[in-house]
């Protein structure tokens, strides 16, 4: 998958390549993954990549179920013919699992009438020559929540998808309240890779696969949550060259103004002293469109060591952006009191609670930012 070397002048080229690659995933009409050991603090299992001896020690990842075996309900089949791309994630209704991929009905919206439990099959695709390890989590109404995968409940669940396979696995998110819900299931690929290598850390895909869907419970379309949207009037917003949708900058102490795109030093790896806050700027941007669209809301959900965190008092940064603009959000990131590598990244999408059956310009895919490695010393 394409990468860039961290120089601002090359970002746009890779962004265009990224957009072309995302196009192929629009062919994935539905898509999900793999039985199980409960851990409160998890270090890398034998089947995942271990850090090299010269790298920093791995930090503990908590609240994880490791799926080391599968129940009889899990279905593993060859990667479906006619589908492009290396990996994918989505959903399929139980009654549609036997249908060919191209004949399955839409999965951008699910309506629950007689139940308030969202119980599709989660599907993960791996069309590479090697197994892929994913750390799965679920975002409900822009909050990370526990969920059940193959009968096991947890906040995070580790699964491995064999090479060139499609995996269907029972998924459950229960007791939803009446109204319209946004659901994103996220797969963090290669979660225990603690390398500080720039090529790995500057991957603009962020090693994330995710797909959103709407779940409507009952006969009301009222969104289950009202997001506090930051407008152009309340945060700095700058017209000009835009490189990435979501970027991280280290904020100079006492400096709160936007930094010119030509002078940016993006954060891929950095160090911070134990107990000290990390001064951070999150740049949320929107590329110019050939046919300008109305201003859009971009929702950014931040994670530290794969757990959702609060920045600037918010667990989701919802920013209203006009075309060819960007906004800068200042925050102090507090890292855990554990020395070693901690991983910081975000997922993001446009137009929360959009009706994607009507608004075909809103993508069902959820993007991942660069996964920055912050070393506590």
């Amino acid at each position: 998958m394409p990468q860039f070397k961290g120089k601002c002048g090359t970002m746009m080229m890779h962004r265009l390549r990224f957009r072309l690659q995302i196009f192929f995933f629009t062919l994935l009409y539905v898509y999900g993954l793999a039985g199980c050991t409960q851990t409160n603090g998890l270090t890398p299992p034998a089947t995942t990549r271990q850090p090299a001896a010269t790298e920093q020690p791995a930090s503990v990842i908590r609240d994880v179920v490791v799926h080391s075996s599968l129940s009889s309900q899990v279905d593993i089949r060859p990667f479906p013919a006619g589908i492009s791309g290396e990996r994918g994630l989505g959903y399929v209704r139980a009654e549609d699992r036997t249908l060919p991929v191209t004949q399955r009905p839409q999965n951008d919206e699910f309506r629950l009438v007689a139940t308030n439990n969202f119980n599709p099959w989660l599907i993960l695709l791996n069309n590479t020559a090697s197994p892929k390890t994913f750390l799965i989590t679920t975002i409900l109404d822009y909050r990370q929540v526990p969920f059940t995968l193959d009968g096991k409940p947890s906040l995070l669940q580790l699964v491995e998808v064999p090479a060139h396979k499609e995996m269907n696995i029972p998924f459950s998110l229960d007791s939803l309240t009446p109204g319209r819900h946004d659901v994103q299931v996220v797969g963090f690929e290669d979660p225990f890779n603690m390398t500080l290598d720039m090529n790995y850390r500057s991957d603009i895909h962020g090693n994330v696969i995710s797909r959103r869907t709407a779940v409507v419970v009952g006969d009301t379309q009222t969104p289950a949550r009202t997001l506090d949207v930051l407008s152009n009037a309340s945060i700095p917003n700058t017209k000009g060259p835009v490189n990435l949708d979501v970027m991280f900058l280290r904020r100079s102490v006492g400096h709160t103004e936007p930094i010119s795109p030509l002078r940016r030093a993006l954060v891929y790896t950095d160090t911070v002293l134990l107990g000290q806050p990390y001064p951070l700027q999150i740049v949320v941007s929107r590329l110019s469109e050939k046919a300008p669209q109305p201003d859009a809301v971009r929702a950014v959900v931040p994670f530290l060591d794969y757990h959702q965190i609060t920045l600037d008092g918010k667990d989701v940064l919802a920013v209203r952006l006009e075309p060819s603009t960007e906004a800068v959000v200042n925050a102090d990131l507090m890292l855990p009191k554990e020395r070693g590598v901690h991983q910081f990244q975000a997922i993001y999408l446009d137009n929360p609670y959009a009706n994607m059956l009507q608004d075909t310009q809103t993508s069902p895919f959820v993007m991942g930012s660069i996964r920055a490695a912050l070393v506590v010393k």
Side-chain angles (χ1 to χ4, degrees), residues 4 6-12 243 261-266 268:
F4 63 92
K7 295 183 179 179
C8 291
T10 64
M11 292 180 187
M12 186 64 72
N243 297 312
L262 299 179
R263 295 177 49 242
R264 284 178 175 148
L266 303 186
Y268 308 117

Side-chain angles (χ1 to χ4, degrees), residues 38-78:
Q38 176 74 50
T39 67
N40 292 322
L42 184 71
T43 53
T47 56
T48 65
R49 178 193 179 280
Q50 297 282 351
T54 57
E55 296 171 4
Q56 300 291 329
S59 299
V60 170
I61 301 175
R62 297 180 173 84
D63 306 311
V64 179
V65 159
V66 180
H67 289 254
S68 55
S69 61
L70 305 173
S71 75
S72 59
Q73 295 188 76
V74 177
D75 180 21
I76 301 177
R77 60 185 75 172

